[in-house]
Amino acid sequence: MIKAVIFDMDGTLIDTEKYYRIFWPKALAHFGYEMSDEQALSMRSLGCPYAPKHLKEMFHDPNLDYDAIRAYRKKIMEEALQKNGIELKKGAIELLEFLKTKKIKRAIATATDEERATRYLKQIGLYPYFDKIICATMVKSGKPSPDIYQYACRQLELMPQECMAVEDSPNGVMSAYRAGCKVVLVPDQSEPEEELKDKLYGCVESLDKIEQYFL
């Protein structure tokens, strides 16, 4: 029986993943690197220590200054979000309301730091829906390591098999799958590749479609 749903945030609940796809290349260009769209997509939900290592290997540059590039990416992305606002993904409110009425626990497991995650969720009115906000900064290794989902399950006082993870990216799916959660994918920037499909409990086109697993 599923007793909790643990949500990724960017690209799953809020429509921000598209900005990472835009602003990682812009930030890297500022420092003299050229990032393809495919390379940008590979960064989705990638946490530390994997993200710095991935970028250094991608550009064959062990001296690449990840912290400086990431800080600049955060700055220019924040400017865009302040200008354009944050949009909810289709079906987010409907699903959260449904889970609340069913008394199913709700948590966040995000690669975004705690300050920004809390601010974004409060800004769009989702913060009160969640029992726990779990961020990658709270664990040793981010996605695709299972650490964040294992920690979220412990915080919820549930076994991983009692929790459904809702993700939009391959790195997020692998994190939840390795932790032992049932993983439902809501594709955002790309459709899942074949090798990912056997890791999934389900794949739906929008969040409101997840209700079917509880009826």
Side-chain angles (χ1 to χ4, degrees):
M1 180 180 176
I2 297 170
K3 298 180 180 179
V5 178
I6 307 171
F7 294 88
D8 171 57
M9 189 179 72
D10 292 287
T12 300
L13 285 171
I14 61 177
D15 195 15
T16 45
E17 199 69 62
K18 61 188 179 185
Y19 290 106
Y20 288 96
R21 188 175 181 178
I22 294 168
F23 289 108
W24 268 120
K26 285 183 179 293
L28 281 151
H30 182 75
F31 287 85
Y33 302 91
E34 185 176 347
M35 179 183 241
S36 69
D37 187 53
E38 183 179 0
Q39 289 172 325
L41 285 172
S42 73
M43 294 294 292
R44 286 177 295 166
S45 293
L46 197 62
C48 285
Y50 307 106
K53 183 174 183 288
H54 182 57
L55 275 182
K56 289 176 182 180
E57 289 177 350
M58 198 185 314
F59 294 103
H60 309 289
D61 184 359
N63 297 314
L64 178 146
D65 192 341
Y66 173 80
D67 291 336
I69 294 168
R70 181 174 178 268
Y72 185 72
R73 192 268 301 156
K74 287 171 66 175
K75 175 182 176 292
I76 58 177
M77 184 169 156
E78 279 288 321
E79 290 170 354
L81 288 174
Q82 288 174 12
K83 179 180 178 181
N84 301 326
I86 299 173
E87 297 176 18
L88 283 172
K89 297 292 284 187
K90 179 185 175 185
I93 293 290
E94 292 85 348
L95 176 59
L96 290 168
E97 285 285 358
F98 173 83
L99 295 174
K100 185 177 178 181
T101 62
K102 292 285 186 180
K103 294 182 168 50
I104 294 167
K105 291 183 177 180
R106 302 158 307 278
I108 292 282
T110 178
T112 300
D113 64 76
E114 189 174 6
E115 185 278 324
R116 283 190 300 143
T118 300
R119 176 160 47 87
Y120 290 170
L121 292 169
K122 286 182 176 179
Q123 184 176 331
I124 56 178
L126 292 188
Y127 186 79
Y129 284 100
F130 294 99
D131 300 288
K132 298 289 180 181
I133 309 294
I134 309 300
C135 302
T137 49
M138 300 175 183
V139 295
K140 181 179 179 181
S141 299
K143 301 173 186 180
S145 162
D147 294 22
I148 190 167
Y149 277 102
Q150 290 171 340
Y151 183 68
C153 293
R154 291 196 299 271
Q155 290 295 301
L156 292 167
E157 300 182 336
L158 294 171
M159 298 298 291
Q161 58 266 31
E162 296 177 302
C163 299
M164 173 186 286
V166 181
E167 279 282 354
D168 72 296
S169 71
N171 288 317
V173 168
M174 290 308 302
S175 174
Y177 176 79
R178 288 167 176 165
C181 299
K182 296 177 172 67
V183 192
V184 174
L185 178 69
V186 187
D188 180 35
Q189 299 293 305
S190 62
E191 292 299 316
E193 296 182 1
E194 285 301 318
E195 60 263 31
L196 200 69
K197 291 181 179 179
D198 64 356
K199 310 289 193 299
L200 300 176
Y201 184 69
C203 183
V204 295
E205 63 183 21
S206 60
L207 290 168
D208 50 342
K209 303 296 183 184
I210 292 173
E211 293 182 12
Q212 65 185 294
Y213 297 108
F214 300 92
L215 298 175

